[in-house]
Amino acid sequence: MAKKAKPSVDKIVKKVNKEFEKTSAQIEGLINDALKQFDTLQSQVQEPVRKLLKDMDELRDREMKRFNDEFERRMNEFHELQSALLEKLGVASRDSEKSAPESKAPAKAKATESKPQSKKASPAKKATPAKPAPKKPAAAKPKTTKAAAPNKAAKPADNSDLTRVKGIGPATAKKMKEAGITSIDQIANPSDADKQKLEAFKGVRGFSQFSAEASKVLS
């Protein structure tokens, strides 16, 4: 009976080993399938993440460019406004300087005219009228200053100074010269090529009046 029991134990051991190998093979297959699924899932997750990061970088670059453009445009407007104010203040100061000598000249003339009359009224002092004679050239001094002013204005105007056109500040003038607009004549009477160059400055405030203002400067 003991001898017959041995083969049955061997069979049982072999059967257990086969089942174990089969089970281990199944487990290994399941692990491999899980790893494959994990790899595919990882690739599926990484692709949208990469795309999202790329989109975020592009959006950031666009927003930074838009911000820089807007900042530059605002700064150009500020510089143009500043230059316009300075030009107006400069014109006002020049007008006040011109009016000052003119107002002083009549006062001196009146003073010189009143003095001889008062001295003529006294017949006793006939020799005194000779004294006002050297004072008359002093009243004529403002006339020499008035004559000098037209000589200064007679100098030929610099048509390459684009800032003489109302609305064009130093920053815009610099950009226009870089684009090929180097003379006020090109703004007042632009050719077809000049018109295409000026199209780049449509966004500048007062662009529609540039041609008319340039014509006023040239007239």
Side-chain angles (χ1 to χ4, degrees):
M1 296 294 293
K3 289 180 180 180
K4 290 180 180 180
K6 287 182 180 179
S8 61
V9 172
D10 293 335
K11 288 180 181 180
I12 292 169
V13 171
K14 288 179 180 180
K15 188 175 181 181
V16 169
N17 289 335
K18 286 180 180 180
E19 292 294 333
F20 180 79
E21 289 175 358
K22 184 178 179 181
T23 303
S24 61
Q26 289 177 352
I27 293 171
E28 187 176 356
L30 292 172
I31 292 171
N32 291 332
D33 291 341
L35 291 174
K36 289 179 181 179
Q37 290 179 0
F38 179 78
D39 291 337
T40 55
L41 181 62
Q42 187 177 10
S43 62
Q44 289 175 359
V45 171
Q46 285 178 351
E47 188 64 26
V49 171
R50 289 174 185 172
K51 186 177 180 181
L52 179 61
L53 292 175
K54 184 179 179 181
D55 293 339
M56 289 177 65
D57 290 338
E58 292 176 356
L59 179 61
R60 182 189 61 189
D61 293 339
R62 285 198 303 269
E63 289 299 320
M64 287 297 295
K65 185 177 182 301
R66 186 180 65 81
F67 176 79
N68 290 333
D69 293 342
E70 183 67 17
F71 178 78
E72 185 176 359
R73 185 178 68 82
R74 293 294 179 87
M75 288 300 295
N76 289 336
E77 291 179 356
F78 174 77
H79 288 309
E80 289 171 2
L81 180 61
Q82 185 181 22
S83 62
L85 290 173
L86 290 175
E87 288 174 1
K88 289 181 179 179
L89 291 174
V91 171
S93 62
R94 289 172 188 170
D95 293 340
S96 62
E97 289 174 0
K98 289 180 181 178
S99 62
E102 290 177 1
S103 62
K104 290 178 181 178
K108 290 183 179 180
K110 288 179 181 179
T112 54
E113 289 174 2
S114 61
K115 287 180 180 179
Q117 289 176 0
S118 62
K119 289 180 179 180
K120 285 179 182 179
S122 58
K125 296 180 180 179
K126 293 182 180 180
T128 55
K131 292 182 179 179
K135 292 184 179 179
K136 287 183 180 179
K141 286 183 179 179
K143 293 182 180 179
T144 57
T145 57
K146 290 181 182 179
N151 292 334
K152 291 182 180 179
K155 292 182 180 178
D158 185 8
N159 289 339
S160 64
D161 185 6
L162 303 183
T163 57
R164 293 174 60 205
V165 179
K166 184 178 179 181
I168 298 178
T172 303
K174 183 179 178 182
K175 289 185 179 181
M176 282 186 173
K177 288 187 177 181
E178 291 174 354
I181 305 298
T182 58
S183 174
I184 297 175
D185 296 326
Q186 292 176 271
I187 302 173
N189 301 305
S191 61
D192 293 338
D194 293 335
K195 287 178 180 179
Q196 291 180 357
K197 294 174 183 177
L198 289 170
E199 286 293 321
F201 301 93
K202 272 187 174 181
V204 179
R205 183 180 297 175
F207 171 79
S208 60
Q209 299 297 324
F210 282 177
S211 180
E213 295 295 336
S215 299
K216 290 180 182 178
V217 173
L218 295 176
S219 61

